[in-house]
Amino acid sequence: MALLEGAAELEPGDSFDRASRLLNHDGRWKEVESEALRRELFKDHMEALKRRRVEAEKRKQEGAVASFKELLQRSALKPSSSWRKVAAKLQDEEAYEALDRLTRLEVFQAHIRQLEEEERQAKEREKEALRRKERKNRDAFRVLLTRHRDEGSITVHSRWKAYVPLVEEVAEYQAVKKNASGSRPKELFEDIILELEEEWEKARPLLKDALRAAGWSATADSSYEGYLEALAGQQQKQQQLQDGDAADGGEGVKEAAA
């Protein structure tokens, strides 16, 4: 086998007869016991030689492809770049000439697909960043609306047309106004009004009971101050009952129930 390994003249695909003519003068060739064994050794060598050549060619091709990829990366291409124009620009480069036409085109197309995917991902990141920013804008405006509701600037009777002049110069309002998607400022305001309306509907029977217990009823001469005083009196009585009940451990409730 050492003789065959050293025979640089042999190429994959050569016949046994050619090998015999090239090596017959070497004593090591004749030392092999039989021609059948020489043929078997020759066959094994040819198969190994073929594998090595294929592997070497594969490594060479992979290296050439890698070099051409690097060349394309250095060329600052765009997803819209034309192969015809790119080929004309790079045709004198060694990395370009090292590949056949079909392989060059395939590598170029793969590179363009990668650029398209990177562009898509970049746009998606931009969209997500914008969505987060707009969501924060809406949250900040909701906080402002909630504060105004708690302060009494927004009531169940408030209307957007009357409210907007109060906030049109405020940063939170301006930020939501500039949002490209999601709820608009008016919609967020109306959400607060809806919450107030729901709270009012729940509280309404309780208010009526409290006013009835206070002996207060609305007349043409009734004032808002009188309404508030009646409610305040009932609230004070309710608090006194709760304090007394807490003090006697609930016995007052039991006696009332009895």
Side-chain angles (χ1 to χ4, degrees):
M1 290 297 291
L3 174 61
L4 291 170
E5 291 290 348
E9 304 91 335
L10 291 177
E11 296 288 339
D14 281 350
S15 65
F16 175 79
D17 291 339
R18 183 170 188 275
S20 181
R21 290 195 299 272
L22 289 172
L23 305 174
N24 192 45
H25 64 281
D26 193 304
R28 290 173 294 176
W29 180 260
K30 295 179 179 179
E31 287 176 0
V32 178
E33 297 178 359
S34 65
E35 181 173 334
L37 182 55
R38 285 194 291 271
R39 286 182 178 276
E40 184 177 347
L41 293 173
F42 172 78
K43 179 182 177 183
D44 292 343
H45 174 69
M46 286 293 105
E47 290 176 352
L49 180 60
K50 183 178 180 180
R51 285 195 299 272
R52 289 198 297 271
R53 293 290 177 87
V54 169
E55 290 170 0
E57 186 61 31
K58 181 180 178 181
R59 288 194 296 272
K60 180 181 178 182
Q61 181 73 357
E62 289 174 348
V65 168
S67 296
F68 188 55
K69 284 182 179 179
E70 292 176 2
L71 176 61
L72 292 174
Q73 290 170 353
R74 293 196 305 271
S75 301
L77 304 183
K78 298 179 180 180
S80 58
S81 295
S82 161
W83 169 239
R84 181 177 60 81
K85 293 181 179 179
V86 172
K89 181 180 178 181
L90 303 179
Q91 61 183 349
D92 294 330
E93 296 284 346
E94 182 179 349
Y96 177 93
E97 295 178 345
L99 296 175
D100 60 70
R101 290 180 59 186
L102 180 59
T103 304
R104 286 194 295 261
L105 178 59
E106 290 175 346
V107 174
F108 169 79
Q109 290 173 335
H111 182 67
I112 292 299
R113 287 194 296 273
Q114 180 181 348
L115 292 178
E116 291 172 342
E117 177 61 18
E118 291 173 355
E119 183 179 64
R120 184 194 67 78
Q121 292 179 2
K123 288 181 178 179
E124 188 59 36
R125 287 192 296 270
E126 290 176 1
K127 288 181 181 178
E128 181 57 30
L130 180 60
R131 282 194 290 267
R132 288 197 298 269
K133 179 182 177 181
E134 292 187 346
R135 184 167 59 249
K136 288 181 179 179
N137 291 342
R138 290 191 296 273
D139 291 344
F141 188 57
R142 286 192 186 98
V143 170
L144 177 66
L145 291 170
T146 301
R147 188 171 78 243
H148 284 178
R149 179 197 64 188
D150 296 341
E151 293 172 351
S153 300
I154 298 177
T155 70
V156 71
H157 301 296
S158 296
R159 293 296 176 261
W160 174 248
K161 187 175 181 180
Y163 174 74
V164 71
L166 301 177
V167 294
E168 58 185 354
E169 300 299 330
V170 177
E172 290 89 340
Y173 169 77
Q174 289 294 331
V176 176
K177 186 179 179 182
K178 294 175 183 177
N179 280 1
S181 61
S183 299
R184 308 306 300 157
K186 183 179 180 181
E187 293 171 330
L188 298 174
F189 170 82
E190 290 174 346
D191 289 342
I192 293 292
I193 297 300
L194 181 60
E195 291 174 7
L196 287 171
E197 289 175 347
E198 292 174 351
E199 292 173 5
W200 167 245
E201 287 301 320
K202 291 178 182 178
R204 201 170 173 182
L206 300 177
L207 289 171
K208 286 183 177 180
D209 290 344
L211 292 171
R212 190 180 300 112
W216 187 91
S217 60
T219 67
D221 297 327
S222 297
S223 66
Y224 184 60
E225 288 76 12
Y227 163 78
L228 292 178
E229 287 175 4
L231 286 179
Q234 286 302 304
Q235 289 174 349
Q236 185 176 7
K237 290 180 181 179
Q238 183 65 28
Q239 186 62 49
Q240 290 172 349
L241 289 172
Q242 290 175 354
D243 292 344
D245 187 50
D248 66 10
E251 291 300 322
V253 175
K254 295 176 183 177
E255 292 177 5

